[in-house]
Amino acid sequence: MQSNNKLSETLIALIGIWLVVSPIPDFVATIFAYSTTDFGESGNQMRFIPIIHLSTKLLCGLGLIFTRSKIVSILSLDISTPSDTRNLLSASVFLLGVYFILNGCVAFGQFYATAQSDSLSDPYLFWQGTFSTASGVIVGIMSSRLGKFWWLLKRS
């Protein structure tokens, strides 16, 4: 790994670390709160939701950490020149797309975990998952183009 594009890779790794560490306090608090509450027959489904949330964030965070150099090369960031605003913008917008996809996966998980119970099922979660995932994919794909657009705006 060359040190020229280290800033973009560091940004991606930092977001990956944040995704791994940030859900742990909420997960522990939720487990304690759910263990003292009786949800009746839907209790197992309610306890499954924080596990979906935690596992999705952990997988996404670890994926970002271990594939950060490949992500930088996929975004077509120029490794032969030092990182500049264009490269950081592309990496940041890509991470925003990953965040949208992650939120969509969590919403889908919550929807399907509560789908068996009529009183807990919420179609909002399905549509939130659909639009969040679609937005994340579009933003992720367009991130390298946005960096080039920013460069053209800065140049003129």
Side-chain angles (χ1 to χ4, degrees):
M1 175 177 69
Q2 294 179 352
S3 63
N4 291 340
N5 230 2
K6 211 169 198 172
L7 193 54
S8 297
E9 290 183 24
T10 303
L11 178 66
I12 292 171
L14 181 65
I15 297 299
I17 292 168
W18 177 77
L19 286 173
V20 168
V21 175
S22 68
I24 293 173
D26 290 334
F27 178 74
V28 174
T30 303
I31 293 299
F32 280 117
Y34 283 178
S35 65
T36 60
T37 306
D38 183 26
F39 290 106
E41 290 184 19
S42 63
N44 288 335
Q45 294 168 353
M46 291 301 293
R47 288 181 185 94
F48 192 59
I49 291 173
I51 294 170
I52 291 171
H53 186 71
L54 178 72
S55 60
T56 304
K57 278 196 165 185
L58 286 176
L59 287 174
C60 189
L62 291 173
L64 285 175
I65 291 169
F66 291 120
T67 61
R68 64 187 181 271
S69 59
K70 289 184 182 189
I71 291 172
V72 168
S73 65
I74 288 172
L75 290 175
S76 302
L77 302 179
D78 191 8
I79 294 180
S80 62
T81 61
S83 291
D84 59 359
T85 307
R86 176 182 164 225
N87 292 346
L88 289 178
L89 181 68
S90 293
S92 300
V93 170
F94 176 77
L95 290 175
L96 182 64
V98 168
Y99 179 74
F100 285 154
I101 292 170
L102 176 65
N103 280 341
C105 291
V106 168
F108 278 134
Q110 289 175 337
F111 174 76
Y112 289 118
T114 60
Q116 287 80 23
S117 175
D118 291 334
S119 63
L120 296 174
S121 183
D122 188 5
Y124 169 76
L125 292 172
F126 176 77
W127 292 110
Q128 180 188 17
T130 301
F131 291 119
S132 183
T133 303
S135 299
V137 169
I138 291 169
V139 167
I141 290 171
M142 297 303 294
S143 63
S144 62
R145 303 289 184 247
L146 185 62
K148 291 176 185 173
F149 178 69
W150 175 260
W151 181 75
L152 288 173
L153 285 177
K154 189 177 173 182
R155 193 172 140 194
S156 60

